[in-house]
Amino acid sequence: MLVEPQEFEEKQDVAIISPDDPVEDADQEPEIRADSFDEMLAKFMPELPDQETESEAYHTWHIQNWRQLTRREHGPVFECGKHPWRILFFPYGNNVDCASFYLEQGFGDKPPDDWYACVQFMLVMWNPNDPTIYLTHSANHRFTADEGDWGFTRFADLRRIFTSNFDNKDRPMVENDSVMVTAYVRVLKDPTGVLWHNFINYDSKKETGMVGLKNQGATCYLNSLLQSLYFTTAFRKVLFCKCLNTYITDEWQAVYQIPTEQEADKANSAYALQRLFYRLQRESGAVSTTELTASFGWESKQIFEQQDVQELSRILMERMEERMKGTEAENALAKMFVGKMKTYISCINVDYESSRIEDFWDIQLNVRGNKSLDDSFKDYIQVETMEGDNKYFAEGYGLQDAKKGVIFETFPQVLHLQLKRFEYDWERDALMKINDRYEFPEVFDASPYLDEKADRSEPYIYHLHGILVHSGDLNAGHYYAFLKPTKDAGYYRFDDDRVTRATKKEALDDNFGGEYASTNGVNGVRNPYTRTFSNKKSNNAYMLVYIRESRQDEVLRTEELVEPPSHLERKLAEERALLEKRRREREEAHLYMNVQVATEDNFRAYQGFDIVQWNAEPNTPPAPKSYKVLKTTTLQEMTQLAAKEIQADPEVCRPWVMVNRQNGTVRPDQPLMFPTMTVEEAAQKYSTKNSTFRIFMETTDLDDEGKPKWGDVVPSADGQPNSRQIILFLKHYDPEKQSLYGVGHVYIGWQQKVSDLAPMILDLMGWPSNSCTLRLWEEIKQNMIEPMKAKITLAASEIQDGDIICFQRGLNDKEIQEIQSRDGCVDAREFYDYLLNRIVIHFRHKTAPEENEKTYFDLTLSKKMTYDQVAAKVGEQIDESPDHLRFFTVNLSTGKPKAVVKRTPASTLASILMPGYGTYSTQNQSTDRLYFEVLELSLAEIETRRPIKVTWLSDGIQKEEQLDLLVPKQGTVHDLILHLQTRVNAGPDRTTTMSSTTGSPDLSQQNGTSTVNTYAAQSAQTIPDDALSQIRVFEVHQGKGTKVVPETYSVTNLSEWLLLYAERIPEEEVLAREKGDLADPGMSLDEDKRDRVIWAMHFDKEVAKAHGVPFCFLVKQGEVFKDTKERLSKRTGIKGKQLEKIKFAVVSRSAYSRPEYIEDGEQDF
């Protein structure tokens, strides 16, 4: 119920005309009376524009005895548009000091569930004794079962209507507790079904039979394009057409025909699109495009940025074409969407024509300057006459007058037209949206724009199928589409997840653009996206889809003939079943608990700390078995379940509860002796608090009586428990194999000596008695492995149930030396230390294009290894000298090299990968990956040299190559030039020998310049020995040349913050220097009038915005600027139209100087 009215439309004071008034005042329109119902309807409730009336009626309710009425009253029921209505009245106000009136449906308790009516209504209160005294309020509303009344809570102030002089009248509005209320009701037709809809609980599938696409953030443009392609049903499926005795067998094939059953990977764009189309066809709710955008490789940046629709369409088509190659669907898209156009130059006076025929997927049409689609096509094929200075050179005929243009050879069956609504505005220097009015027809004849020789046997009449609309401006807006799903259907609006019916006016006329009609003298409407007022409509068409009239039946097939591949249905059914299973599991999760069971086999297969690795990779030998069981499962049932898994008799299996010790280990604590106890009770009573209940399942043999032989407590003669048996787990370290694995468990008396373990170990291992010496350690925790003394008792050694004893054979000196020569561990404690510090490092060659065993491999190393030890291991792997290896840390986000690893005596692998918590070098750094490269020089030699990055300009300023040179630290710029010569002359087979040590090794991405990867390509121009003196090295800062560096300049003085360029001095400058024609740089123009070399640079509008490569340029005395400009063109390589776009200016050295622009002419530059 609406409790606040819209604008009060109360009657103004009535003017009194006296006989003495002028004659012209007597011609005023007579005052309308409230009982003149037709006049009241015409004046105060005119018909709404663009709305069609279904029925209208008015009804008057005479309210009497106002002060005796109850709080809530209903008027008599009347009918309008076959709907019952009545007035709802609150005499004393609906929680306000005003009379409240509402129009209400008259069904009584509740109308039918699907009932609704779109109503324009007005309520009029008037005095029955003087109908000129009245109040009116009007509103529009969509009445539904949930919103069955609508009106005005503050219809009229109670004190005002009861006052004796209502609005300066001689009587009150409510006189003698009596008043009239007339309800004017106009029921409107609702062809779209959504007029004034609030879209709460709106069901697109129920209302239209179609579903929308969910917006991920800013993907409305993608949604509109996808819906357009989806309803081009030939894009989905093979079509067989029998019409006019023509049988089409393989012409119409598309997305559903791409074989994806064997490549059902969501990263496959074709498979993702098939899934999306299937769900649009079969599901009842809006479909997500997340899988499709993920297959594009899009991240959140692309999701929340609106892309170009034309570019997206072409990318999508290219991906589908690629997937269709070699399949039955090959060339299907081209047959549907590709047309041909001819670009030609035809001579006027001779029989000569040069032409080229090209394919097109869509046509971009100008909107600016054109009023309609036909105007744009005429503009597109407009002929340009080449004459005068612009004559065409025809081979064999010389210069000729000619006509140049574009003409269409064929149009596709589905024609996509891109309207150029966004164009660059040169006056505003910005990209702007064009909202000019631009009309397009429902039926379009394309034949006038075909070549005269084109095949016209089949008419080129097209019917409008879809309008893709953009509402807003360049910076903010929204996309949606109007489409005709079938040949004879009306238009539907596809607005992300909502699909609604639309009128022809809404689809076409409202999207032509242009200016708003003036309303009540107010021009302009507020744009909902930019929140600014504009007198031009911001919603207009930007893409049109036309379908050839003769192919409509084939392109727009019915849904019954568009069956998706069967494997899609199976796959999605499996996924739905899995989702349903997971849902049930979530709902029933409170009834289940997780139990992990470790066995003797897991212990024997595990090399590491503790009994087993509880988080080991599932289904591997060391991994304990995980079970999800009901909490009511008994220990006996749990034992039977585990025994079945290990194929053992449940009678010889006994569970031990695993507990977390204070030292961080997990060990068996006690056997679970109550078979009827539930696993939940056992976990709560015996286990430590874990999300998973952990059990060790002990197994044994049967004795002669068929009973299991458990190592239970054996009472002593005096009844004391000193001789109780404890369970110990044994691990064997084999120095030869460098392995440490569990071998089993034993029971031993708590008061027995450590030496008493020896016979048990020899028996367990099958070694002869007295065949070897044994060394024993206790594994207390990861970093605490303590040797055991043979003569003390286990009790004195603080040994208890579940402890781990590690043993090994004793080694002689020869065996120790042999193991140490292999960098092996001679005793168990060393090996435990290795296990504690071991780490698998993924090595990758920094620049190698191919992956093989020498460029991409993994090594298991110790964190305590030094730089040299790591280099030795890698050198052994790739068969290279360790002295020539250099390593790089890896950027965790990009996976690219981050910084050079410095070789220091104190550095270890741990300090390289994890230098220190919180330091800058550890931020975003991988802890298990390293890049490496093989250097031509050893690291010792490199330390005596300085790495210098030089940009070599081999061809003017058009071609740049970034080269990394190693120059002796004590060298000069002349030495740098010699190294540059070596690198340049080496050719493309020479690889990079030195990379940046500043933490940005990816040199091809530096400074935004157009560079060439030095691994793959080098300069084609060599530097001969006699040209060394002609090499110029200069420094650049922010796009401006700072100084030419002399050859004697020390390389240690070169700034790291300036860019260094090198080039061969132009020949004209060399000749001028040899002739002595160059002015002294230290002298002014007036003092020395000879030719001189100046700095030249590029800037954009402001001198401070310098860009590109600066260069030195020879300025000649007395030369006109026209000739200077030609030499500049040769120097820079910029020619033709590109050169004409450039303005030239003189800029002084002052930081605040303004450029003085030079005009073309004969003046002396």
Side-chain angles (χ1 to χ4, degrees), residues 960-990:
E960 305 174 42
E961 296 180 30
Q962 287 190 350
L963 305 176
D964 296 302
L965 307 178
L966 284 173
V967 183
K969 292 181 178 179
Q970 305 302 320
T972 62
V973 172
H974 178 72
D975 297 316
L976 184 149
I977 294 174
L978 292 176
H979 282 75
L980 176 68
Q981 180 192 27
T982 303
R983 286 294 306 280
V984 171
N985 292 352
D989 294 331
R990 182 71 171 236

Side-chain angles (χ1 to χ4, degrees), residues 121-266:
F121 68 94
M122 176 175 64
L123 298 179
V124 181
M125 175 191 289
W126 50 285
N127 188 316
N129 301 316
D130 185 357
T132 62
I133 302 176
Y134 55 84
L135 286 175
T136 68
H137 289 301
S138 60
N140 310 322
H141 184 60
R142 182 186 185 91
F143 288 84
T144 64
D146 294 327
E147 292 185 350
D149 58 79
W150 201 258
F152 315 99
T153 301
R154 300 178 182 273
F155 187 91
D157 185 272
L158 289 171
R159 288 172 295 182
R160 179 185 172 201
I161 60 177
F162 279 97
T163 188
S164 58
N165 296 311
F166 177 80
D167 289 356
N168 298 323
K169 300 289 185 176
D170 58 357
R171 59 204 321 158
M173 169 68 77
V174 180
E175 190 172 6
N176 299 323
D177 277 357
S178 175
V179 74
M180 293 287 193
V181 177
T182 302
Y184 296 82
V185 179
R186 179 179 292 131
V187 178
L188 304 177
K189 292 183 179 180
D190 183 16
T192 64
V194 292
L195 179 63
W196 303 329
H197 205 301
N198 59 15
F199 293 103
I200 297 175
N201 299 323
Y202 179 77
D203 189 338
S204 296
K205 187 76 171 182
K206 178 181 177 182
E207 299 296 336
T208 66
M210 295 166 284
V211 297
L213 293 168
K214 295 178 182 177
N215 192 330
Q216 296 185 54
T219 56
C220 49
Y221 68 98
L222 172 66
N223 293 347
S224 60
L225 177 64
L226 289 174
Q227 291 282 21
S228 169
L229 295 174
Y230 172 78
F231 284 105
T232 307
T233 46
F235 184 72
R236 282 186 272 161
K237 180 67 178 174
V238 172
L239 298 184
F240 296 88
C241 176
K242 288 185 178 180
C243 51
L244 300 177
N245 298 323
T246 301
Y247 186 69
I248 301 176
T249 58
D250 60 357
E251 183 175 0
W252 302 99
Q253 309 179 57
V255 174
Y256 279 166
Q257 289 305 110
I258 304 175
T260 57
E261 186 171 7
Q262 304 303 322
E263 305 175 49
D265 181 3
K266 292 182 182 179

Side-chain angles (χ1 to χ4, degrees), residues 68 218 232 258 303 364 380 470 499 598 769 790 794 900 936 945 1117 1149 1165:
Q68 299 177 18
T232 307
I258 304 175
I303 295 298
Q364 293 191 65
Y380 198 93
H470 177 265
V499 184
S769 301
L794 296 174
V900 174
E936 293 183 356
R945 304 197 178 197
Q1117 180 69 24
R1149 280 284 186 179
F1165 174 59

Side-chain angles (χ1 to χ4, degrees), residues 63 96 128 264 366 373 415 442 549 577 581 596 787 961:
I63 300 174
V96 292
N366 289 324
L373 191 63
L415 180 60
E442 268 204 292
E549 183 180 69
K581 179 183 177 183
Q596 277 186 295
E961 296 180 30

Side-chain angles (χ1 to χ4, degrees), residues 8-9 66 144 207 257-258 267 308 319 406 486 505 577 588 608 679 727 732 742 776 791 873 981 1040:
F8 283 100
E9 299 179 5
W66 183 304
T144 64
E207 299 296 336
Q257 289 305 110
I258 304 175
D308 181 72
R319 294 204 177 192
V406 173
T486 61
K505 178 181 181 301
E588 300 173 357
V679 290
I727 183 171
H732 173 225
L776 279 69
K791 295 182 179 181
K873 289 289 185 181
Q981 180 192 27
K1040 301 177 183 178

Side-chain angles (χ1 to χ4, degrees), residues 45-63:
M45 201 175 78
E47 293 188 359
L48 297 175
D50 304 328
Q51 301 298 335
E52 187 176 353
T53 300
E54 179 180 330
S55 177
E56 63 182 22
Y58 52 83
H59 169 77
T60 301
W61 176 23
H62 188 184
I63 300 174

